[in-house]
Amino acid sequence: AAAQPLAGRRVVVSAGGTREPLDPVRFLGNRSSGKQGYALATVAARRGADVTLVAANTALTAPEGVTVVRVQTALELQLAVEKAAADADVVVMAAAVADFRPKAYAASKIKKTHDVTAPDEAPTIELVRNPDILAELVAARGDEASPVIVGFAAETGDETGSVLDHGRTKLARKGCDLLVVNEVGETKTFGQDENTVHILRQGSSHVVDAGPASKEDVAAAVWDAVQQIL
Ligand code: C5P
């Protein structure tokens, strides 16, 4: 039916932001609220899809009819997404995944020294790379057309190029089918209820602009683009 264009489709959406623990009370995190990912899951469920939402550290209520898997770290998110992606038609990576994690986890709280001869002493946190989950999903798909893989790119324009320039470069590098590019900054996008995005498609110069609009309206535009590929 026209109202259920995703009926019979299995989709996976990752949402929120990963947290990489330093010790039992501290983590490296980011400003992602998860709202755009939840909106994507909500709209997909409304369109008839069987939705698994892999949620990293979100404070949002699970959308009705959606299976939610809660994770914290990038490595946990990768495991959950890969498991759900095994029989999925679409994977949308809307989560903000930490590119780095602390090399070591301190089992007890890291303390400051009380040595009066070294009052400025501070620890150095060594980081290691996290896997690029999106790129690994694309690599694992190989020559198959399924699942359709959608990436997000939070970009800021700078002297080396515009937000769209950076998006095109990223789409080519990541190899996913669609890249949803949004402009971010201190007050833009993160935690907000509205979003403005540009949807880029692999192998096409056509750009779909969505917003400023509610994150559900942006999600609808993303699923419209996915449905054209399915
Ligand atoms: O390279 P960048 O982090 O800007 O790419 C963003 C896209 O890649 C998002 O779809 C995000 O979910 C995904 N990503 C990932 N694994 C990472 C970093 C980002 O899957 N380690």
Side-chain angles (χ1 to χ4, degrees), residues 65-157:
V66 166
T67 303
V68 181
V69 180
R70 297 199 170 272
V71 297
Q72 294 235 8
T73 67
L75 293 177
E76 288 168 10
L77 188 136
Q78 180 176 39
L79 263 181
V81 167
E82 284 181 356
K83 187 168 173 236
D87 60 355
D89 299 296
V90 187
V91 180
V92 181
M93 284 293 296
V97 181
D99 292 316
F100 311 101
R101 66 178 180 274
K103 185 174 182 183
Y105 171 76
S108 52
K109 188 181 169 190
I110 299 165
K111 301 273 196 297
K112 57 178 172 277
T113 63
H114 294 285
D115 181 349
V116 289
T117 66
D120 296 327
E121 198 175 280
T124 299
I125 299 166
E126 197 178 339
L127 302 176
V128 294
R129 287 283 281 260
N130 271 330
D132 187 325
I133 300 163
L134 178 63
E136 290 191 10
L137 285 168
V138 171
R141 180 177 64 171
D143 294 330
E144 305 291 317
S146 184
V148 171
I149 300 174
V150 182
F152 269 70
E155 299 288 350
T156 52

Side-chain angles (χ1 to χ4, degrees), residues 149-175:
I149 300 174
V150 182
F152 269 70
E155 299 288 350
T156 52
D158 59 24
E159 61 288 347
T160 69
S162 69
V163 166
L164 269 188
D165 294 334
H166 292 314
R168 288 204 181 287
T169 306
K170 190 162 288 182
L171 177 60
R173 180 159 46 80
K174 298 249 184 187

Side-chain angles (χ1 to χ4, degrees), residues 36-55:
Q36 186 61 70
Y38 273 59
L40 284 155
T42 299
V43 172
R46 205 180 282 153
R47 291 186 181 193
D50 175 344
V51 184
T52 299
L53 175 63
V54 179

